[in-house]
Amino acid sequence: MQQIINFIIRNKSFLLYLLLFSLAFVFTIQSHSYHKSKFINSANFLSGGIYNSVNNVSEYIHLEKQNELLQKENNDLKSLLYNTTDSLNRSFTDTTYSGISYKFTPAIVIKNSYSLSNNVLLLNKGRRDSIQQDFGVISSEGLVGIIDNTSKKYATVISVLNTSSQISAQLKKSNHFGSLIWNGKSPYLVQLTEIPKIAPIEIGDTIITSGRSSIFPKNIPIGTIDSFNLDTAQNYYVIHVKLFNDMTSMEHVYIIENKDSNEINKLINNTNE
């Protein structure tokens, strides 16, 4: 306390000057509308800048949470999109049926390879999240791959950039379908085979999933035709498809579960037997 008193005594002239200056400043602002408006505008500009900076820092800190919310929202929209098509294709209404054939689960890519011949991805979802083998995986841009193995907390995905991958795909404009494979060369191009030469195709045409399997619904985007040629027998096209997905930079994906897959596969197996 004594130090404070000594400080005031030592600087009494300067402190008196500050007091009088402050009073004069306040009286000037209060008595002149022009000065008052300028002061308010300056104060708003200063406080607005401070609040904006604080808000930017806060948004950055909570960015991960916002990404999770956006991913969940996208997940719900995808579920609505692909299941609406499924519901419209039903010939009758079953009141015991939920109307949901495809369940979408958001996941994050922990590890991703794209320069090998058999590339895989590692996701942060596993058996505890009800993820199983042969579930499909897509991103907001399109096709990614198929679940291969699962542990309690993780799952591996056979990437579309895997020489053992084979997925049913089709031309969007004509419904001619074939097998989507990868020749092990460019991470940006995959190949669509078994398209008959009578199919009308042009560079830039869109390729989508055909829906002719129990893994992926129809109309999931894959890419566009980059080039094409006939096979050695001159009966079918080999189409090079430029992927919508940048497989060299994957982070957020969605795992697709076809809730009717067991029923479909059981029926097919019984028929084959």
Side-chain angles (χ1 to χ4, degrees):
M1 186 65 182
Q2 185 63 39
Q3 291 180 347
I4 295 175
I5 295 174
N6 292 335
F7 174 80
I8 294 175
I9 293 173
R10 286 197 307 268
N11 299 280
K12 59 183 179 181
S13 299
F14 178 72
L15 294 175
L16 180 61
Y17 167 76
L18 286 180
L19 176 61
L20 295 176
F21 178 81
S22 300
L23 290 173
F25 184 72
V26 171
F27 290 150
T28 301
I29 292 174
Q30 291 293 333
S31 60
H32 296 83
S33 58
Y34 175 78
H35 294 87
K36 186 177 182 179
S37 64
K38 287 294 183 181
F39 176 77
I40 293 174
N41 289 337
S42 300
N44 288 339
F45 176 79
L46 179 61
S47 61
I50 294 173
Y51 285 131
N52 184 61
S53 298
V54 172
N55 184 63
N56 289 338
V57 172
S58 178
E59 286 183 351
Y60 180 79
I61 293 173
H62 296 92
L63 189 59
E64 182 178 356
K65 180 64 175 178
Q66 293 300 318
N67 284 336
E68 290 177 358
L69 293 174
L70 287 174
Q71 190 178 33
K72 183 179 183 302
E73 183 177 348
N74 287 334
N75 185 68
D76 294 340
L77 290 174
K78 287 183 182 296
S79 179
L80 178 63
L81 172 65
Y82 291 110
N83 287 300
T84 297
T85 302
D86 178 74
S87 298
L88 291 175
N89 288 334
R90 295 186 177 272
S91 59
F92 66 97
T93 301
D94 183 355
T95 56
T96 64
Y97 180 71
S98 66
I100 303 296
S101 288
Y102 294 100
K103 175 186 175 183
F104 290 76
T105 303
I108 295 177
V109 177
I110 299 175
K111 185 178 180 181
N112 176 27
S113 64
Y114 51 84
S115 59
L116 307 174
S117 59
N118 296 308
N119 295 297
V120 297
L121 300 91
L122 179 64
L123 308 183
N124 69 336
K125 300 290 183 180
R127 287 195 298 268
R128 69 177 183 181
D129 306 292
S130 301
I131 304 304
Q132 299 178 21
Q133 187 180 39
D134 291 334
F135 281 11
V137 181
I138 64 173
S139 74
S140 58
E141 299 296 324
L143 189 68
V144 173
I146 299 174
I147 296 290
D148 182 34
N149 288 304
T150 60
S151 65
K152 181 179 179 181
K153 297 187 292 183
Y154 303 100
T156 57
V157 180
I158 296 179
S159 170
V160 69
L161 300 181
N162 190 306
T163 53
S164 65
S165 173
Q166 188 168 330
I167 298 170
S168 180
Q170 70 172 61
L171 302 171
K172 183 176 182 179
K173 71 177 185 181
S174 69
N175 290 327
H176 287 90
F177 68 95
S179 297
L180 192 75
I181 61 175
W182 186 52
N183 61 10
K185 296 180 180 179
S186 172
Y188 305 104
L189 295 173
V190 294
Q191 289 67 48
L192 179 60
T193 62
E194 303 171 8
I195 300 295
K197 65 179 182 180
I198 61 171
I201 63 174
E202 295 179 2
I203 292 177
D205 286 351
T206 300
I207 306 299
I208 58 175
T209 54
S210 67
R212 291 176 172 85
S213 74
S214 60
I215 298 177
F216 295 102
K218 188 176 180 179
N219 291 323
I220 291 178
I222 297 174
T224 57
I225 296 178
D226 183 72
S227 63
F228 57 89
N229 57 273
L230 289 170
D231 62 11
T232 54
Q234 299 289 304
N235 293 321
Y236 296 93
Y237 283 117
V238 176
I239 301 174
H240 298 275
V241 181
K242 184 177 182 180
L243 293 170
F244 288 131
N245 266 327
D246 180 1
M247 296 299 295
T248 67
S249 178
M250 298 296 300
E251 183 175 5
H252 297 283
V253 296
Y254 303 92
I255 302 171
I256 305 175
E257 174 191 359
N258 183 349
K259 301 178 78 67
D260 295 333
S261 63
N262 289 335
E263 180 181 349
I264 294 171
N265 293 330
K266 183 178 180 180
L267 181 62
I268 292 174
N269 292 334
N270 289 339
T271 302
N272 291 335
E273 292 175 359

